[in-house]
Amino acid sequence: MGLRTRRLGETMNRIYEIWLVAASFLIANSGIAFSQEDGTQPLRLVQSIPLPNVKGRLDHMDVDVKGKRLFVAGLENGTFEVVDIDAGKWVRSIPGFKKAQGALFVPELNKLFLASGDDGMLRVFRGDTLKLLDSIHLEPGPNRVVYEPRSKLVYVGYGGKDAGKDYGEVGIIDAQNDKHVGDIKVVAHPSELLLDKAGKTLFVFVSIANKLQVVDTDKREVRSTWDVTSQHPGDAAFDETTSRLFIGTHTPAELIVMDSKSGQEVARLPTPEGMDGVYFDSLRRRVLVSGGRDLPVGFAYVYQQKDADHYESIGKIPTRAAAGTSFWSSELDRYYVAAPAHEKEEAAILVFAPQD
């Protein structure tokens, strides 16, 4: 072996040793598993589906379970992207939106409701063909959209500062006839909407006011207003079996667990910065929180529910830069994270499978 070859080998070994020490330090101090190959993490990346030519931030998602399609809001792209999750490929774009945000697929009506914030529109498409059926004009700010199957009503949050008002509104839409039939006044622009299974109670989270307002849907009025102690509550999830709300906040980045009957906060845990998605896996009793919006690295945090008041952090899974938004499908048993285009990487949907 020549002197040059020997020195090169020594240099490569030294580089490897330095890299290994650095990697070990980062892993030890971040709590992130070095590899998911051993199955120790509660989520395992199983697929990455490219979204070609989609630029800027990605926002909310919804799924057509039977048709195996995922609808993804390209907020800055002015589009909703359609992904064939069975084939693992992008299918098409639905263009023409100013700040594409909320997505809601209603299979029983074969309709897709898509919210566009800056032009104040909730557009209704035929579910199978994606042909435009109706355009419902509200005011600026339509964002979160939820459906109540018994009354066949859609609730959509809008208004507030986006509409130049000092209050927000929850619009009520007759989903069968695509008509705006009423509004519920709330303290400011809603950042999240959650319904109970009976459709009688609507939880309205208001980020700018640090409030949660509880709405009686029969009376169409607010019956309770509760403070959220950390600032800027955004996304949330609901475990109705234990009467627990899971609230992601931005300042500080925390997961707050709240009693849905009293408004009492019973637990809080650190969560990823740039939080933009909170979901509950009822089968495994786990809370899933994604974060990383506007940050050079993204994560999905997973918490195990021990009982109604006690939770344990069981995983911090790296995703991708600025990948804040996520979606959990209990029917498909998959967790989807929307990763925007970054440097030389095109936008993609990261598909995770839960690990028991």
Side-chain angles (χ1 to χ4, degrees), residues 3 33 59 75 87 100 103 130 138 149 178 219 230 272 284 310 313 318 353:
L3 179 60
D59 210 29
L75 186 146
L130 301 181
L138 301 168
D178 306 332
K219 296 181 178 179
S230 291
R284 299 171 184 83
H310 298 90
S313 178

Side-chain angles (χ1 to χ4, degrees), residues 32-141:
I32 302 168
F34 176 70
S35 172
Q36 297 182 40
E37 296 298 324
D38 59 3
T40 57
Q41 286 279 38
L43 292 172
R44 178 174 62 90
L45 181 66
V46 294
Q47 193 176 28
S48 180
I49 305 174
L51 299 178
N53 304 313
V54 179
K55 305 300 182 184
R57 178 181 155 194
L58 302 176
D59 210 29
H60 306 306
M61 294 176 272
D62 202 8
V63 69
D64 167 14
V65 173
K66 186 177 180 180
K68 301 294 180 65
R69 294 175 299 171
L70 187 72
F71 304 102
V72 186
L75 186 146
E76 297 175 43
N77 206 54
T79 61
F80 280 87
E81 304 300 319
V82 185
V83 175
D84 183 330
I85 50 181
D86 205 24
K89 65 179 183 180
W90 170 86
V91 176
R92 59 168 291 186
S93 291
I94 306 174
F97 298 87
K98 295 181 180 179
K99 197 177 182 182
Q101 291 198 284
L104 171 70
F105 182 73
V106 182
E108 65 179 275
L109 300 178
N110 189 32
K111 288 182 178 181
L112 175 65
F113 295 83
L114 300 179
S116 185
D118 284 356
D119 57 7
M121 300 295 292
L122 180 66
R123 294 182 175 89
V124 188
F125 295 80
R126 179 167 164 151
D128 50 0
T129 64
L130 301 181
K131 177 184 177 181
L132 181 65
L133 298 176
D134 280 299
S135 296
I136 304 168
H137 190 269
L138 301 168
E139 288 183 346

Side-chain angles (χ1 to χ4, degrees), residues 42-284:
L43 292 172
R44 178 174 62 90
L45 181 66
V46 294
Q47 193 176 28
S48 180
I49 305 174
L51 299 178
N53 304 313
V54 179
K55 305 300 182 184
R57 178 181 155 194
L58 302 176
D59 210 29
H60 306 306
M61 294 176 272
D62 202 8
V63 69
D64 167 14
V65 173
K66 186 177 180 180
K68 301 294 180 65
R69 294 175 299 171
L70 187 72
F71 304 102
V72 186
L75 186 146
E76 297 175 43
N77 206 54
T79 61
F80 280 87
E81 304 300 319
V82 185
V83 175
D84 183 330
I85 50 181
D86 205 24
K89 65 179 183 180
W90 170 86
V91 176
R92 59 168 291 186
S93 291
I94 306 174
F97 298 87
K98 295 181 180 179
K99 197 177 182 182
Q101 291 198 284
L104 171 70
F105 182 73
V106 182
E108 65 179 275
L109 300 178
N110 189 32
K111 288 182 178 181
L112 175 65
F113 295 83
L114 300 179
S116 185
D118 284 356
D119 57 7
M121 300 295 292
L122 180 66
R123 294 182 175 89
V124 188
F125 295 80
R126 179 167 164 151
D128 50 0
T129 64
L130 301 181
K131 177 184 177 181
L132 181 65
L133 298 176
D134 280 299
S135 296
I136 304 168
H137 190 269
L138 301 168
E139 288 183 346
N143 184 0
R144 287 292 194 176
V145 191
V146 296
Y147 177 64
E148 203 295 290
R150 291 174 179 83
S151 62
K152 293 183 170 49
L153 294 176
V154 165
Y155 296 92
V156 53
Y158 68 100
K161 67 176 183 179
D162 290 356
K165 294 183 176 180
D166 60 0
Y167 61 90
E169 293 178 274
V170 176
I172 306 169
I173 309 298
D174 178 339
Q176 292 180 295
N177 300 306
D178 306 332
K179 300 298 182 183
H180 181 196
V181 296
D183 290 289
I184 303 164
K185 185 177 179 179
V186 292
V187 67
H189 182 277
S191 56
E192 175 71 290
L193 303 176
L194 295 176
L195 273 168
D196 67 355
K197 291 180 181 178
K200 302 295 184 181
T201 302
L202 177 69
F203 299 98
V204 181
F205 298 81
V206 183
S207 180
I208 195 171
N210 306 319
K211 304 285 186 185
L212 165 57
Q213 296 199 286
V214 184
V215 170
D216 182 321
T217 57
D218 287 335
K219 296 181 178 179
R220 297 185 177 181
E221 62 183 30
V222 175
R223 70 167 183 252
S224 301
T225 299
W226 299 329
D227 291 326
V228 180
T229 55
S230 291
Q231 295 182 18
H232 304 302
D235 295 55
F238 186 27
D239 173 20
E240 196 161 349
T241 62
T242 60
S243 302
R244 292 297 179 263
L245 293 161
F246 309 110
I247 308 167
T249 64
H250 291 280
T251 311
E254 289 186 319
L255 174 67
I256 292 177
V257 183
M258 178 183 285
D259 187 320
S260 66
K261 295 180 179 178
S262 68
Q264 179 182 359
E265 295 178 2
V266 298
R268 60 176 63 227
L269 302 96
T271 208
E273 298 286 343
M275 180 279 307
D276 208 13
V278 180
Y279 292 90
F280 183 63
D281 175 356
S282 59
L283 176 65
R284 299 171 184 83

